[in-house]
Amino acid sequence: MGEDVYAIYDRSVVKLEAGDVGQLEEHVELPDILEHHGIGLLL
């Protein structure tokens, strides 16, 4: 309880800018960035 949840909906994509695009496993820095911001992924 008390955890934040973030969602990105298709209608908000126009306000986002994509950086490097590729498979998740290609972005070796991603786990550290997610951990830094306290974000987890549900697959």
Side-chain angles (χ1 to χ4, degrees), residues 1-36:
M1 272 183 88
E3 295 184 21
D4 293 329
V5 175
Y6 300 91
I8 300 173
Y9 296 96
D10 59 348
R11 63 183 175 268
S12 67
V13 173
V14 295
K15 296 181 181 182
L16 299 175
E17 182 178 320
D20 294 331
V21 178
Q23 299 295 317
L24 282 177
E25 59 269 7
E26 294 173 2
H27 295 274
V28 296
E29 74 283 358
L30 185 60
D32 291 335
I33 293 169
L34 294 176
E35 183 177 346
H36 174 77

